[in-house]
Amino acid sequence: MAADTMTQNPFAYTAAGELGKNRDTMLGNELLLRTQLGRPKRRGYSSAPSENFVYGRPLEPRQGGADDALHGWPPMKPNLNTTTLPFSRKEKKTDRDFMVLNKAAVQAGLVTAPENYKFRATHDVRRKTAGDENTRSRTRRIPPTMVFGISTRPSTPIFDLLEHKYQDKWLMSRRQMELTKRQEESKSEPARSAGYSSTQRRNPNTVYETRASLLRTYQNPVDDAPLWQLPKFKNNAKASLQTFRSENARKQGYEHFESDQISRKGQLGHGVFESAKN
């Protein structure tokens, strides 16, 4: 008796059971549902439809039949709702053609913004769609013998493959190249026997430098401009103390200082020696 009561009451398999207030949302909450003994656990948040439920889109009734199709369909543009076509088409409203409106406004003598605004409020011109254009003038006559599609690639001659014709053709071309090369070498042999040195063949794809091109790209060395100094100190403010014994010793000292800057720290190379880096 208790088992029959549990099968009849769906709230018996919830966490609260039959106690308290039973709400329909409790049957769709997965956290509150409990599994039934000997049955698989149901997953989902909504109950399945009834047995009479039909899946899919409804089949709309079509008006008209073979008789209307043979006699011709009525025009669609006057009234789309009374058409006997088996399908309905919605007339898509095109955008306004502002270029034609502006041209018509200028022709009417309206050039200011308020005048154009009033003209557009009283006149309406829509852009033409592809269906409204006269397609007869654009269509071209196709000959009755016209064949559409991609042409079939010609088949490879099997007899040429069996006879190694392509290999023989390649060997003949190579042999012809060798013969022409030997003829050129034989023509240059009399010049060698006469004591003339044969000129080296140049590659036509290589650009060689000439004397004119080298002189054109050559730049004369220019000494760096001296640092700016006040004119009154150029001749008067001279060094009063010379710590080098000679000019040669001075140059050697500066060269040693420049080479020693590499291994020292600091921007001017006056710091401590730096360890080697890998």
Side-chain angles (χ1 to χ4, degrees):
M1 187 67 180
D4 298 339
T5 305
M6 293 183 67
T7 55
Q8 293 177 2
N9 190 2
F11 293 96
Y13 298 102
T14 58
E18 299 179 357
L19 302 177
K21 185 177 180 181
N22 295 329
R23 298 182 300 274
D24 295 339
T25 56
M26 299 172 61
L27 300 176
N29 192 348
E30 192 69 23
L31 301 177
L32 301 178
L33 294 178
R34 297 293 181 262
T35 56
Q36 300 180 16
L37 182 61
R39 294 186 181 181
K41 190 173 182 179
R42 295 182 301 172
R43 295 290 181 183
Y45 298 95
S46 62
S47 59
S50 61
E51 297 180 356
N52 299 329
F53 183 79
V54 180
Y55 294 89
R57 299 177 61 184
L59 181 60
E60 299 179 358
R62 296 184 179 181
Q63 299 178 359
D67 185 23
D68 295 337
L70 293 175
H71 287 80
W73 300 108
M76 294 177 53
K77 290 186 177 180
N79 189 1
L80 292 177
N81 298 328
T82 60
T83 180
T84 58
L85 287 172
F87 52 88
S88 59
R89 294 182 182 177
K90 295 182 180 179
E91 186 179 359
K92 185 178 180 181
K93 194 173 183 180
T94 57
D95 299 334
R96 300 185 69 182
D97 197 346
F98 292 99
M99 297 180 65
V100 178
L101 289 172
N102 294 340
K103 184 177 179 181
V106 172
Q107 291 177 356
L110 307 177
V111 293
T112 61
E115 293 176 351
N116 276 303
Y117 181 77
K118 294 180 181 179
F119 182 81
R120 292 176 183 176
T122 56
H123 298 75
D124 189 14
V125 179
R126 297 290 174 176
R127 300 180 61 182
K128 295 182 179 180
T129 57
D132 297 338
E133 297 178 358
N134 188 10
T135 57
R136 294 184 179 178
S137 59
R138 297 187 302 169
T139 57
R140 56 179 182 141
R141 292 186 176 181
I142 300 175
T145 58
M146 182 69 180
V147 179
F148 297 92
I150 302 174
S151 59
T152 306
R153 186 177 66 87
S155 59
T156 306
I158 191 62
F159 294 102
D160 295 345
L161 294 176
L162 295 176
E163 295 177 357
H164 304 285
K165 186 175 181 179
Y166 299 101
Q167 180 182 357
D168 297 340
K169 187 184 295 185
W170 182 81
L171 292 175
M172 288 291 294
S173 62
R174 296 294 300 177
R175 190 178 294 107
Q176 187 68 23
M177 292 175 59
E178 291 179 359
L179 290 176
T180 53
K181 187 176 181 180
R182 290 179 182 179
Q183 290 177 2
E184 292 178 358
E185 292 178 356
S186 61
K187 291 180 181 180
S188 60
E189 286 181 0
R192 293 179 183 177
S193 59
Y196 300 101
S197 61
S198 61
T199 58
Q200 185 179 4
R201 297 183 61 184
R202 293 188 174 185
N203 188 3
N205 298 327
T206 306
V207 179
Y208 295 92
E209 294 288 348
T210 60
R211 181 175 177 80
S213 63
L214 292 175
L215 292 175
R216 193 181 300 111
T217 57
Y218 177 75
Q219 296 181 356
N220 296 324
V222 180
D223 296 337
D224 297 336
L227 299 177
W228 184 83
Q229 193 177 11
L230 288 174
K232 63 180 180 180
F233 295 134
K234 285 185 178 180
N235 299 324
N236 299 332
K238 293 185 178 180
S240 59
L241 182 63
Q242 294 289 342
T243 58
F244 295 96
R245 296 183 179 181
S246 62
E247 186 66 22
N248 189 16
R250 176 176 174 274
K251 291 182 178 180
Q252 291 180 358
Y254 275 102
E255 290 178 357
H256 177 71
F257 171 70
E258 291 177 357
S259 63
D260 195 41
Q261 285 180 343
I262 302 173
S263 59
R264 291 180 178 271
K265 293 183 179 181
Q267 296 182 354
L268 301 177
H270 294 170
V272 297
F273 285 99
E274 192 175 16
S275 59
K277 298 179 180 180
N278 294 330

